Amino acid sequence: MMQSRTGNGWKLKIASFCALILTSALAQAQTYTTSGAQILKDGVPIQLRGANGLHEYGVGSSDMNAWKIDVVRETIHNFQNHPITGNAVQVSGVWKHSLQNIVNDNRANGKVTIFCPFSWDARETQDNFFLGKNPSSSPWWNDYKTRYQAIANQFKNQSDVWFDVWNEPYHWDAGDPRGYSETLWLSDMRAMVDNIRATGAQNIILIPGSRMGQGEEVVVNQGRNLLSGRANLVFAPHAYEGWLLNSQSQIETRIAAMQNLGLPVFFGEYGAKNNDTMDVAPFLAALRARKVGGAAWIWKTLPKVNGVEQFPETERGALLRADGVTPNDVNNYQYGTKVKGFCSEARVTELVKNGNFSSGLTNWALFTANTGVVESGVLKLGTGSAGGGVSQNLTPKASTTHVLSAKGRVGVAGEKISITVKGDGFQHALDFGTTTLTAKNLTFTTPATATWFQVQVWKGTGSFGYADDISVTR
């Protein structure tokens, strides 16, 4: 029976539609930037946890909501011809959804979208994939730049859309570089970033490593050179055997080497299955410890076409089983369940900006009587006769549990350097009195009367004091 247009059903539909439009508009209004080694959302440090998707073949990310996924790295196959706007169309016999419609759906579900080119045209052949190629030597190099500018023009005022310039460039074997060098990487990355920036787009741009994305050594050696005169760049290695066969401590050390240079890090891909099958647990623990996000490979399999899987590798390494609901834990060290747990964890909000001093003393105020410098990414306080330190104002939130964590040491045993959080009606401190850099933390709750909030590093008279990795989360 046809329902009256004045009935409650239509009112509910109109209300739902208006809510969807409002949600999308609010999400689009959010601004994503970088500062030092941190990725910021409206000026607040964030850690995004997500998955790679194949929504070019079927829009719809609401099934990711149960896992609390907040970022989707979207593949673009047939980069040359993929529709940017409009409805789904058949491209070389395959239905493809427009990039804007993918973004609209992801945005309505509270997710950042990352676009990354995977293949140039409709031919699904090895020579057509971006994988393993030296970008500037590829036959479609100039056409690629023109095409990416068209995409950047469409999304340059949509800050929740990020651009990954190239999927897994350069040959995997460092012993067989095939023309690769760090000089080439720097030249290629500059050209691809500047090509996008020429449109006026200030969106975050993801920068891959070498060795099909897994090599971060070039990021450590050349990342600062790439950042010179450029902003909103995030360095996005991929983690398979080159990372997941390491211990948690080794992984943390490698991530810290990038962060200590003021380089923001986000893992564009990681997965339990590649040539080997690996346990992702140590890697995920390292991401937690270093407050770094990533996108797991890959969300789910695609429907079969004439009984044939379009991407057979997704059946082996997908996060979901073929039913589209059950985490895929088959012969992969419970990969699906572990990633679901990682993504589903309550997000903490980092309040301290530049807490690892990768950007020197940016965001920190010096006390009058103090000389503070940053050496090798560590704060060094030379106190003078009256003592002193540095401070940073934080955003207060009353009646809320927070965690203060930091590392500290002194030049002479028995002296003390203190890292303190204080506000109206509360004060809590971590004290360090040894000559070895030591990590400590404490949990505290702000009182209901809290209206201001500050973190301070203080060293009295005497030898130098040192502090690093200062964090206040809630």
Side-chain angles (χ1 to χ4, degrees), residues 224-241:
R224 294 299 309 175
N225 292 331
L226 179 60
L227 267 178
S228 179
R230 299 171 181 85
N232 289 347
L233 303 186
V234 171
F235 295 85
H238 289 188
Y240 294 100
E241 286 89 348

